[in-house]
Amino acid sequence: MRFPFVALFFLIWQCTVWAQTSHSIEGEILSLRSKLSIVNAKVSLEGLMISSNSNDKGRFALSVPDAGEYILSIEATGYIVKRLPVSVTKERLDLGTLLLDQDLQIEQSDNLISLSDSELLDDEVSSNSSGLLRATRDLFLNRAAFDFGQAFFRVRGYDSQNGTVLLNGISMNKFYDGRPQWNNWGGMNDVTRNQQFTNGLEASDYTFGGILGNTNIDTRPSGLRPGTRLSSSFSNRTYAGRLMATYTSGVQKNGLVYSVSGSRRWAKQGYIDGTLYDAFSLFGAIEYQINEQHSLNATALWASNRRGRSSAITEEVFELAGKKYNPYWGEQDDKIRNSRERKIAEPIFMLNHYFNSEKFSLNTGMAYQFGTNSRSRLGYYKAPNPDPTYYRYLPSFYINSPVGANFISANTAKEGFLNSPQMDWNQIYTANSNGQAAYVLYDDVADDTQISVNTIGNLILTDRLLVDFGFTYKTMNSENYARINDLFGADFHLDIDPFSETLNDNTGQVEKTEGDIFNYKYLMDADQFETFAQLRYNQEKWSAFIGGKYMTTGYQREGLFGNDRYPNNSLGKGETISFSTYGVKSGFTYKVTERHWLSAHGAYMNRPPVLQNVFINPRENNSIVPNIQSETNSTLDLNYYLRLPKLTGRLTGFYTRFQNTTDVNFFFVDAGVGSDFVQEVLTGLDKLHMGTELGLEYQLSSAVKLTAVAAVGKYVYASDPNVAINFDTAGREEDLINLEGAVNLGVAKVKNYKLAQGPQQAYAIGIEYRDPKYWWVGATTNYLSNNYANISTLTRTRSFYLDPETNQPFPEATEENVSNALAQEPLDNFYLLNLVGGKSWLRKGKYISVFASVNNLFDAVYRTGGYEQSRNGNYGQFKQDNLSGTPSFAPKYWYGYGRTYFLNLAYSF
């Protein structure tokens, strides 16, 4: 554990003797249209880890260790990247004034498809990596975010928990699932544009990071464009309208600069039926520049988001109701009411101190975040399931009946569904008219409070040698409970488990009313300390870095309800479980010429399992996954970069293996070992990701640019994990004797099955025309393939072969028959044509811009993902259910948006 850090600092000591007289490249950066200075533009030498930033007058000075031929890159938010060859032959090279042209596509970041519960499972809402890539200038990653993202393509098949998002250097990734919560700064586009992105395993100034990449969002007002910006947007995607206003003061004589921003987004329903959208965002930041070296920055963000959710549907339901169908809503008093809403409001307050000198910079910060994340749902107690797509209400139930197909009843069910496809709220009120609630609308709530403190340092030891280091500590307390939202006219709800007739809380009241907490209540504490150090070294022809991190993580649950089903393991504090983890990564870049260079990166790291995969059933007990261990990740990538005058590109090959991962799932099953609601625990699960990425950009003329992008991957399960299921009490009276036991089903034969990580192949060809009069238009045709639904691991265990009546294998359940029955089929391959365009005007120092896009122009129908249901837990049930070709428990799918548009108008002054 100590070796990486000992080696790192030994290298630092050794390399300090290599210092030589450096050269410098200087210049001034101005806007081409306004001739104003551009502040905080990043100036770097491509292929080397050398960079600098322009000051408040647009001036920069970049130290270069060796004379030679280089490509200088200048990047600034809102401007087109400028690349120019430079020849360093003397100690000081002054490039004079460099002009950057406005990037008319800056509004495209607002067009990035919003991730919402409409498309993905609850625990996968933020798993898409597109949001992480908003700041990238890389062509391939840009396509992945803006074009492939609408089909939920994941870069290299990675979950977004493998990337790190930071606000002012402080990590925003959640303890619960390891992912950033995009909603926490949603609707703040104007003030979160100042982002620094590092791809994959590249060295970052701010963090050791993850293998997907790292984005740091800098909210300092001094880095934002001074003035006022007003904008409005119209769309038929997740929201219908948006208004946004932002003002930034600019640096005043007393050193103060501030920025405020607010936005409002809304829709009665989005593209999917019944998915309301109601959100507002407020932002304020004030910075005090004490002197040239010291500054203080205080930031406050509050993004409140309420949206209606939708469900994956079977092919049968799709054929009956179409791709926009959503069973979660119905009309009440002529208004749309969705039974499943998600509400997020988690304000963030931050304070940062920045120190900058010629050789050393230090960012020390503290963040306080609190608030609520809730999901509503409809509970029913000894009453019919109110879901219109419940399997007993559909035609397939009567066609697949074990006593023979009943086509008359099937047709009746079809007509009934088509006549009344939505939730019947009046019927629910009628059922609750007798005092005791048969139906309850309730919220699953997580009230989190989190404090984070950190410091990040960047030290230039010599002209060749740079050191980065950081320390972070964060602690979270999360209160989790179910709260009654609406009793639909009933007087009370009995807080008793309807299957076992046991109390959910044997220490409180049994009768609950609106606003009361019921069903479960517990606290979850988590804390984490992380430190990292990184050494970067530059030579004329090559550069290299090595970095290491060490982290400790602890979790503990405290039950606040005494659950009758777990009398010895529900109330009070449970065991504290701790993990000590580390990681090492390194990279090497070699410049063949200033136009061609090669790079390689590698990493080996382990990390703690995320909170949701540590406790088996935290709502009811303190049980922890037995023998849980840290997860291990080893990865390697090789890259070739091309920088010709008209042709630029990147070709990458990558290999990643995730080992010893843990996964906890919840569902109802009929299996060879019984029927019940279960918690499925997978341990020893390995995953393999490998493939190639290609991005090429050709400047056909000064106005026309052609692009080509390709991703070819292979993402598979790489081991056969062990599967254990923990039963609830439905229909299993024997469990009342040993409620805390689990059934070990042994291994699940899933090795080489495809992972459900979005399309594993994606291709795009694009053309763009940029007119000298500041208007532009572009088109991209995209082809996506090799996408798969998530498999049921339970059906790949030995229990699938067992007849629950005899506990013996079904005679016809041969290896061949089972293999054919469980063969994995890919989802649709499909084409998408996307159009974008815009224009801007500059009149007396005032900007007016318009941006428009149309996605999926030809209204293609395609599935973005899905999952196999585990209800048919044995071969006999599976075979019976599939006799007709329209099974009742077929896989469920999410369908992509059809033709959609986005229009943005902005006025800046």
Side-chain angles (χ1 to χ4, degrees):
M1 184 48 249
R2 297 178 181 176
F3 175 75
F5 297 98
V6 174
L8 181 62
F9 288 104
F10 177 76
L11 283 172
I12 294 174
W13 177 78
Q14 286 288 314
C15 292
T16 53
V17 302
W18 295 344
Q20 299 178 4
T21 302
S22 67
H23 303 72
S24 70
I25 303 174
E26 301 176 11
E28 181 184 19
I29 305 173
L30 303 180
S31 168
L32 175 64
R33 299 182 76 177
S34 67
K35 301 302 186 290
L36 296 176
S37 300
I38 298 178
V39 180
N40 207 33
K42 181 181 179 181
V43 184
S44 60
L45 296 180
E46 294 194 343
L48 297 178
M49 292 174 287
I50 299 174
S51 65
S52 180
N53 291 85
S54 60
N55 61 20
D56 57 357
K57 297 181 180 179
R59 296 288 305 179
F60 72 90
L62 186 66
S63 296
V64 185
D66 302 286
E69 303 293 326
Y70 298 94
I71 294 180
L72 187 75
S73 174
I74 305 174
E75 300 181 23
T77 302
Y79 293 89
I80 298 172
V81 176
K82 192 178 190 70
R83 294 186 176 92
L84 63 156
V86 294
S87 178
V88 179
T89 58
K90 51 186 180 180
E91 291 186 8
R92 180 175 178 270
L93 174 62
D94 193 336
L95 299 176
T97 300
L98 300 171
L99 301 175
L100 296 190
D101 201 358
Q102 183 186 8
D103 185 0
L104 302 179
Q105 292 175 275
I106 188 65
E107 305 297 344
Q108 191 169 8
S109 64
D110 295 345
N111 179 49
L112 185 61
I113 186 169
S114 300
L115 303 180
S116 74
D117 304 64
S118 301
E119 295 89 17
L120 295 174
L121 282 170
D122 284 353
D123 61 351
E124 295 179 350
V125 169
S126 300
S127 64
N128 190 293
S129 56
S130 296
L132 190 72
L133 310 176
R134 296 177 74 120
T136 182
R137 301 284 189 166
D138 181 273
L139 172 64
F140 173 84
L141 298 178
N142 192 275
R143 283 284 178 266
F146 293 101
D147 289 286
F148 301 159
Q150 62 188 298
F152 294 92
F153 173 86
R154 293 172 175 83
V155 175
R156 303 185 186 181
Y158 296 157
D159 188 288
S160 64
Q161 65 180 231
N162 292 291
T164 303
V165 174
L166 308 104
L167 280 179
N168 297 331
I170 298 177
S171 173
M172 292 290 109
N173 293 56
K174 294 288 190 177
F175 275 109
Y176 178 72
D177 57 12
R179 299 165 180 150
Q181 177 52 261
W182 311 112
N183 285 298
N184 288 159
W185 50 90
M188 302 181 189
N189 306 61
D190 289 349
V191 290
T192 58
R193 295 190 195 278
N194 191 6
Q195 302 181 12
Q196 299 83 33
F197 175 77
T198 53
N199 183 28
L201 294 173
E202 292 176 355
S204 168
D205 294 343
Y206 307 95
T207 179
F208 181 87
I211 63 173
L212 175 60
N214 313 288
T215 295
N216 180 59
I217 301 172
D218 190 338
T219 67
R220 282 179 288 180
S222 60
L224 303 175
R225 182 180 298 172
T228 300
R229 187 175 189 271
L230 306 175
S231 66
S232 60
S233 302
F234 309 91
S235 178
N236 65 338
R237 298 175 186 172
T238 54
Y239 58 79
R242 185 191 68 182
L243 296 175
M244 184 183 298
T246 302
Y247 173 75
T248 301
S249 68
V251 181
Q252 302 174 24
K253 291 182 180 180
N254 59 5
L256 285 175
V257 54
Y258 65 91
S259 182
V260 292
S261 183
S263 74
R264 178 82 167 83
R265 292 167 290 162
W266 69 90
K268 289 185 178 179
Q269 59 182 348
Y271 186 84
I272 304 297
D273 292 341
T275 53
L276 68 92
Y277 198 104
D278 182 14
F280 68 85
S281 304
L282 298 173
F283 170 92
I286 184 168
E287 181 181 357
Y288 177 45
Q289 297 183 348
I290 302 171
N291 52 41
E292 291 185 356
Q293 293 185 328
H294 294 270
S295 67
L296 294 172
N297 183 57
T299 304
L301 308 91
W302 182 20
S304 175
N305 190 302
R306 170 179 168 237
R307 61 179 69 176
R309 294 156 57 197
S310 67
S311 171
I313 57 177
T314 63
E315 190 73 14
E316 178 185 16
V317 174
F318 168 78
E319 294 293 340
L320 290 171
K323 63 184 178 182
K324 293 186 178 183
Y325 176 71
N326 175 17
Y328 289 156
W329 69 278
E331 286 194 351
Q332 181 180 346
D333 298 328
D334 297 323
K335 294 181 180 179
I336 292 174
R337 184 177 187 182
N338 193 315
S339 65
R340 300 220 178 182
E341 293 184 2
R342 188 177 185 188
K343 301 176 184 177
I344 301 174
E346 297 178 314
I348 304 172
F349 297 92
M350 309 184 75
L351 181 64
N352 289 81
H353 170 261
Y354 295 89
F355 170 81
N356 289 284
S357 66
E358 185 178 353
K359 297 290 185 180
F360 181 59
S361 65
L362 188 70
N363 172 10
T364 301
M366 182 173 80
Y368 174 69
Q369 183 175 16
F370 66 96
T372 296
N373 189 329
S374 69
R375 295 176 173 90
S376 67
R377 66 175 60 240
L378 192 60
Y380 53 99
Y381 303 88
K382 297 182 179 179
N385 190 327
D387 185 348
T389 62
Y390 183 54
Y391 77 102
R392 291 179 176 270
Y393 306 155
L394 296 175
S396 58
F397 174 73
Y398 300 96
I399 295 175
N400 300 321
S401 173
V403 298
N406 186 334
F407 293 101
I408 296 176
S409 295
N411 190 62
T412 301
K414 177 181 178 180
E415 292 178 355
F417 176 82
L418 293 176
N419 290 331
S420 182
Q422 303 305 145
M423 188 164 292
D424 190 337
W425 291 108
N426 292 330
Q427 189 177 59
I428 289 172
Y429 275 90
T430 300
N432 273 20
S433 60
N434 295 322
Q436 181 177 330
Y439 295 94
V440 172
L441 183 70
Y442 66 94
D443 297 321
D444 290 311
V445 182
D447 288 337
D448 291 355
T449 301
Q450 181 170 299
I451 298 174
S452 304
V453 293
N454 85 326
T455 187
I456 302 168
N458 309 105
L459 174 64
I460 301 175
L461 287 179
T462 74
D463 295 321
R464 299 187 186 278
L465 190 63
L466 299 86
V467 176
D468 311 295
F469 63 87
F471 307 91
T472 301
Y473 174 76
K474 61 181 180 180
T475 180
M476 181 200 71
N477 177 266
S478 178
E479 184 177 4
N480 299 264
Y481 53 88
R483 180 179 56 209
I484 296 177
N485 183 310
D486 193 344
L487 287 177
F488 304 112
D491 297 325
F492 64 91
H493 166 68
L494 286 181
D495 192 15
I496 297 175
D497 179 80
F499 301 106
S500 62
E501 298 293 337
T502 56
L503 295 175
N504 293 320
D505 177 21
N506 56 28
T507 63
Q509 295 287 333
V510 177
E511 292 188 2
K512 304 286 185 174
T513 58
E514 290 181 5
D516 286 349
I517 294 174
F518 81 117
N519 200 6
Y520 67 92
K521 185 179 182 182
Y522 65 94
L523 300 178
M524 194 71 79
D525 291 328
D527 61 82
Q528 190 172 82
F529 172 78
E530 179 181 355
T531 180
F532 85 96
Q534 182 173 262
L535 171 70
R536 295 188 271 182
Y537 183 74
N538 291 288
Q539 282 278 11
E540 177 186 0
K541 298 286 290 184
W542 61 272
S543 63
F545 76 89
I546 183 173
K549 75 167 182 178
Y550 175 73
M551 183 165 65
T552 61
T553 307
Y555 302 131
Q556 185 182 41
R557 178 192 183 273
E558 179 182 357
L560 302 180
F561 275 11
N563 190 301
D564 268 355
R565 298 179 295 286
Y566 300 89
N568 302 317
N569 193 27
S570 55
L571 190 63
K573 292 185 177 181
E575 174 189 357
T576 298
I577 184 163
S578 301
F579 303 90
S580 296
T581 56
Y582 68 93
V584 179
K585 71 175 183 179
S586 183
F588 179 83
T589 300
Y590 177 71
K591 292 177 60 179
V592 181
T593 70
E594 71 275 10
R595 300 292 186 183
H596 307 265
W597 66 86
L598 305 171
S599 73
H601 305 94
Y604 178 85
M605 61 185 79
N606 56 20
R607 64 183 182 185
V610 293
L611 193 54
Q612 69 175 348
N613 290 329
V614 172
F615 295 89
I616 297 174
N617 185 9
R619 292 184 175 181
E620 298 186 350
N621 61 68
N622 289 325
S623 296
I624 296 170
V625 173
N627 303 314
I628 192 167
Q629 302 177 34
S630 300
E631 302 171 358
T632 300
N633 178 7
S634 50
T635 185
L636 174 71
D637 66 61
L638 303 172
N639 308 272
Y640 165 65
Y641 295 89
L642 177 66
R643 291 294 184 267
L644 299 179
K646 290 191 174 183
L647 180 65
T648 60
R650 171 174 65 88
L651 175 65
T652 295
F654 63 91
Y655 175 94
T656 303
R657 189 178 184 97
F658 299 93
Q659 295 176 280
N660 199 36
T661 64
T662 301
D663 195 18
V664 179
N665 303 297
F666 302 84
F667 49 83
F668 187 88
V669 67
D670 282 337
V673 291
S675 302
D676 205 346
F677 290 98
V678 300
Q679 299 88 47
E680 177 191 59
V681 180
L682 276 65
T683 53
L685 177 63
D686 294 358
K687 302 174 183 179
L688 176 65
H689 297 238
M690 58 190 300
T692 58
E693 300 170 345
L694 173 68
L696 292 173
E697 184 176 292
Y698 181 69
Q699 197 72 42
L700 187 63
S701 69
S702 60
V704 179
K705 181 171 63 179
L706 304 177
T707 58
V709 162
V712 180
K714 178 184 178 182
Y715 318 137
V716 297
Y717 291 101
S719 70
D720 291 329
N722 189 78
V723 179
I725 56 174
N726 291 64
F727 285 93
D728 278 355
T729 59
R732 290 176 55 90
E733 295 181 1
E734 66 272 20
D735 280 350
L736 296 176
I737 301 173
N738 183 20
L739 288 172
E740 299 176 17
V743 177
N744 190 340
L745 301 182
V747 299
K749 297 293 185 179
V750 301
K751 187 175 181 180
N752 294 322
Y753 274 90
K754 306 291 186 180
L755 293 170
Q757 294 296 101
Q760 301 196 12
Q761 293 188 23
Y763 308 90
I765 297 176
I767 183 170
E768 177 188 313
Y769 174 78
R770 184 180 295 267
D771 193 86
K773 295 183 178 179
Y774 294 97
W775 64 270
W776 65 280
V777 64
T780 308
T781 180
N782 309 274
Y783 177 70
L784 298 106
S785 63
N786 288 31
N787 195 6
Y788 298 86
N790 198 19
I791 63 170
S792 164
T793 49
L794 184 70
T795 59
R796 272 76 180 180
T797 65
R798 195 63 191 171
S799 68
F800 186 72
Y801 292 76
L802 300 179
D803 184 339
E805 299 295 330
T806 64
N807 206 31
Q808 298 296 316
F810 290 96
E812 63 274 26
T814 64
E815 294 290 340
E816 181 180 1
N817 288 344
V818 171
S819 179
N820 291 335
L822 300 179
Q824 190 175 19
E825 295 183 6
L827 305 182
D828 319 294
N829 302 335
F830 54 93
Y831 293 90
L832 298 175
L833 178 62
N834 300 329
L835 303 179
V836 294
K839 180 169 174 55
S840 69
W841 298 264
L842 178 61
R843 297 288 186 270
K844 298 180 180 181
K846 299 176 176 60
Y847 281 100
I848 301 173
S849 65
V850 58
F851 171 88
S853 72
V854 178
N855 282 359
N856 191 6
L857 180 66
F858 295 129
D859 202 24
V861 177
Y862 61 95
R863 294 174 288 188
T864 60
Y867 61 95
E868 295 178 358
Q869 298 191 69
S870 295
R871 182 69 176 259
N872 286 327
N874 64 69
Y875 181 78
Q877 287 178 327
F878 184 92
K879 182 180 177 181
Q880 178 65 42
D881 195 27
N882 281 267
L883 286 177
S884 70
T886 306
S888 296
F889 300 107
K892 289 190 173 183
Y893 304 105
W894 284 274
Y895 288 84
Y897 290 171
R899 185 186 303 109
T900 59
Y901 67 88
F902 179 87
L903 175 66
N904 188 79
L905 305 173
Y907 177 52
S908 302
F909 58 94

